[in-house]
Amino acid sequence: MPAFARDARTAAYYDQRAGEYDEWYLGQGRYAELNPPWWHEEVSRLVDLVRALPPARTLDVACGTGFLTQHLRGAIVGLDQSAAMLGVAGERVPTGSVVVGDALRLPVADGAFDRVLTGHFYGHLPADERAVFLAEVRRVAAGLIVIDTALRPGVEPAQWTDRVLNDGSRHRIYKRYLTSDQLAAEIGGQILLAGRSFVAAAVTWDHHRKDG
């Protein structure tokens, strides 16, 4: 059965990738040729979406290098299992905080946040891990925003992909590609973005919301 959030080899891959992760977002290195022609426009749309979110207490789960986290407003906590990723993220969100943690067992109190944001994490989770993650999010936050990779023509919706790092090492990673409708339906929310490269959806629950 596929695993992602609790797979030790996957964790090692992302720790190793921390120093070059943003090359994907920026279309640099090998991604200068691999990313589609509209990539930079799509990344700008994604950044604009995050920047336009109202200020709130936000837990960014699997925040990685903080590429998106840095555009959030309000009280921000970035969580990732990779200390190397957080080393980069911490420099980008100096007014927030970062913490090493398990996305399937969030180290925060019930109802501690207004929302959870997660980018390019949900789409890696197999069904059992997705169920655990969504239950944890509902425990700790009043809402959820999921950003992930769009399903494109000719791409298998769920697959094992071979990732190659700049040092030539190869890593096998589980990945799903989602339509905006599918993502919104899975989390029980509404579409925020239906792009060619990225999709996003949001859901809000009114229970255990705190004032403050």
Side-chain angles (χ1 to χ4, degrees), residues 112-188:
F113 290 90
D114 298 315
R115 65 176 170 231
V116 164
L117 173 79
T118 188
H120 307 291
F121 172 72
Y122 177 85
H124 285 289
L125 301 176
D128 57 339
E129 290 186 344
R130 289 199 302 274
V132 174
F133 173 67
L134 291 174
E136 272 293 89
V137 170
R138 191 154 187 161
R139 177 182 68 82
V140 307
L144 169 66
I145 297 173
V146 176
I147 295 166
D148 229 292
T149 310
L151 178 65
R152 299 189 301 274
V155 174
E156 286 293 326
Q159 58 180 270
W160 287 94
T161 63
D162 287 324
R163 303 287 183 85
V164 182
L165 295 179
N166 291 342
D167 64 4
S169 62
R170 304 183 72 89
H171 307 264
R172 197 158 172 77
I173 303 296
Y174 180 71
K175 174 69 176 176
R176 294 194 309 145
Y177 298 86
L178 304 161
T179 67
S180 56
D181 287 333
Q182 178 187 358
L183 177 57
E186 285 190 5
I187 68 171

Side-chain angles (χ1 to χ4, degrees), residues 47 50-53 66-73 92-93:
V47 169
V50 174
R51 187 182 286 135
L53 294 172
F67 186 89
L68 296 178
T69 322
Q70 64 185 324
H71 301 292
L72 290 164
R73 295 177 294 152
R92 285 181 160 158
V93 287

Side-chain angles (χ1 to χ4, degrees), residues 39-114:
W39 183 259
H40 295 292
E41 177 186 348
E42 289 269 301
V43 171
S44 293
R45 288 183 66 192
L46 191 56
V47 169
D48 288 345
L49 183 154
V50 174
R51 187 182 286 135
L53 294 172
R57 293 169 296 183
T58 304
L59 176 65
D60 188 349
V61 174
C63 68
T65 61
F67 186 89
L68 296 178
T69 322
Q70 64 185 324
H71 301 292
L72 290 164
R73 295 177 294 152
I76 310 302
V77 176
L79 180 142
D80 203 280
Q81 66 177 346
S82 169
M85 289 281 191
L86 292 178
V88 182
E91 295 294 322
R92 285 181 160 158
V93 287
T95 59
S97 59
V98 295
V99 59
V100 175
D102 181 353
L104 303 189
R105 192 174 181 179
L106 296 170
V108 298
D110 294 0
F113 290 90
D114 298 315

